[in-house]
Amino acid sequence: QHLNWLIPNIRVRLISKKIPAYYLQKGVVQDVTRTSQSSPKAVLLMDNGQVIDKVPERYLETALPKTGGKVIVLEGKHHWKKGRLLERSRDGVGVIQFSEDLEVVNISLDSIAEWCLNDDE
């Protein structure tokens, strides 16, 4: 079962050479379209201000903020919880403090993304 992790307001990196001008560039997901026939596709606002439409989920990976930046959990027990990235370790684990209850947990960096919506202040 493939996890559909793609949601609006997260920062992603384009990892497909099929869009060469933006290979390894970052942007923020503006919208996601889902159809029963195909995988989710994103509308991206790239960091240079360009908008790219219909980017397949498989062309993307999550991008992480600097330490102290806002994140959202995209899978697992803490699905959709938001918080701050306190620390990143070399073994691919991040220390996250959730905004809601200030709980501190260790979560795989593959399960989180930078959250780009200012909704907690």
Side-chain angles (χ1 to χ4, degrees), residues 7-12 27-31 45 65 69-72 80-84 99 113-121:
I7 59 170
N9 305 309
I10 60 171
R11 184 174 299 283
V12 293
V28 176
V29 178
Q30 301 297 300
D31 193 20
L45 175 60
K70 294 192 296 184
V71 294
I72 186 167
W80 304 139
K81 277 194 167 179
K82 296 176 199 134
R84 296 214 174 263
S99 308
E114 181 174 358
W115 181 245
C116 298
L117 196 64
N118 199 7
D119 58 357
D120 58 354
E121 260 79 73

Side-chain angles (χ1 to χ4, degrees), residues 33-41:
T33 54
R34 288 184 162 80
T35 64
S36 54
Q37 295 84 21
S38 67
S39 70
K41 293 186 173 48

Side-chain angles (χ1 to χ4, degrees), residues 52-104:
I52 321 179
D53 197 7
K54 297 187 176 93
V55 181
E57 181 179 60
R58 69 182 178 279
Y59 287 15
L60 304 168
E61 70 177 12
T62 59
L64 298 171
K66 293 181 172 75
T67 302
K70 294 192 296 184
V71 294
I72 186 167
V73 181
L74 299 173
E75 63 179 351
K77 178 175 136 189
H78 299 291
H79 202 209
W80 304 139
K81 277 194 167 179
K82 296 176 199 134
R84 296 214 174 263
L85 180 62
L86 300 181
E87 207 179 295
R88 318 159 65 143
S89 63
R90 296 195 186 281
D91 58 0
V93 173
V95 180
I96 311 295
Q97 182 174 35
F98 292 126
S99 308
E100 196 176 289
D101 54 11
L102 303 182
E103 181 185 5
V104 176

